[in-house]
Amino acid sequence: MSNQILIFLIDTLLGLLSLALLLRFYFQLLRVPYYNSVSQFLIAVTDFMVRPARRFIPGWGGMDMSTLVLAWLLESIILTSVYVMQGYDFDANIIFSLGVMGLLGIVSIVKTTLYIILVMIIMQAVLSWVNPNSPLAPLLDSFTRPFLMIFRKRIAPIANVDLSPLFVLIVIQVLLMIVAGFHMEISALLH
């Protein structure tokens, strides 16, 4: 019982911090407007980790790699903690096991990224019906535009209804199934 509570707390607290780091990374990568309350919140919450990490982890190709690496490290720590609390013995082959945890951390980052895109597209679709002039609209538009443009270029609106979000959501669901398969295959290496 106490292990379940501890796993829940670690997963929730470190998971939220990892999510904040990932959002900060993608907001910078996709050039989401800097001066909005969500961006400012993400910077305020994650700056204590990102600033020191930038001294050791340089940017690459205009990307803030320190933020992405920190998110990956947190995901790997979460997974390792869960396995340890569930009784997995890392002593048998610690290097191999930590390598597998690193791979599972990458898979978790990809899965979280897909869920972020999914939620942003759904939020944008709902806001476009309910309140298209919402302060969140420019943020959601700049975040989702690169994903939606792939389909908007190829599929014209039908009766002024943009179907590109539907196609992006279908692709994301397929990718989530593929990622789940990778996760199972990598996890099987530990047994």
Side-chain angles (χ1 to χ4, degrees):
M1 176 86 162
S2 63
N3 271 359
Q4 289 176 330
I5 294 170
L6 198 52
I7 288 171
F8 168 76
L9 290 174
I10 289 171
D11 191 31
T12 302
L13 297 176
L14 293 183
L16 287 172
L17 187 54
S18 174
L19 176 64
L21 286 163
L22 268 179
L23 283 170
R24 178 178 175 157
F25 173 76
Y26 290 121
F27 277 24
Q28 290 173 348
L29 182 68
L30 298 171
R31 292 177 175 53
V32 171
Y34 181 78
Y35 293 105
N36 67 61
S37 57
V38 177
S39 295
Q40 294 301 310
F41 172 78
L42 293 173
I43 290 167
V45 168
T46 58
D47 239 14
F48 79 97
M49 293 176 71
V50 173
R51 283 192 186 270
R54 283 184 178 157
R55 291 185 213 141
F56 307 104
I57 305 167
W60 181 70
M63 293 186 287
D64 182 13
M65 294 307 291
S66 59
T67 307
L68 184 61
V69 169
L70 286 171
W72 168 73
L73 282 172
L74 281 175
E75 288 295 329
S76 299
I77 289 169
I78 292 168
L79 290 164
T80 304
S81 302
V82 169
Y83 272 87
V84 166
M85 286 182 211
Q86 290 176 343
Y88 182 77
D89 182 20
F90 279 94
D91 292 335
N93 192 348
I94 193 160
I95 302 294
F96 177 76
S97 297
L98 290 178
V100 170
M101 289 296 118
L103 285 174
L104 286 174
I106 292 170
V107 170
S108 289
I109 292 291
V110 171
K111 183 174 78 172
T112 304
T113 297
L114 291 171
Y115 277 118
I116 289 170
I117 297 167
L118 182 110
V119 168
M120 293 282 197
I121 287 175
I122 291 171
M123 285 175 58
Q124 183 181 23
V126 170
L127 272 179
S128 71
W129 299 327
V130 177
N131 185 6
N133 298 321
S134 166
L136 279 178
L139 181 143
L140 293 171
D141 181 59
S142 57
F143 188 93
T144 59
R145 186 180 313 121
F147 307 104
L148 296 173
M149 286 308 294
I150 296 168
F151 293 99
R152 284 181 179 158
K153 289 179 183 177
R154 292 166 179 76
I155 302 168
I158 299 173
N160 287 333
V161 175
D162 182 14
L163 296 177
S164 59
L166 176 66
F167 289 102
V168 173
L169 295 177
I170 291 169
V171 169
I172 288 173
Q173 288 297 325
V174 170
L175 291 173
L176 283 169
M177 290 178 206
I178 293 168
V179 167
F182 279 128
H183 188 274
M184 288 189 335
E185 287 181 23
I186 294 170
S187 295
L189 295 173
L190 292 173
H191 302 294

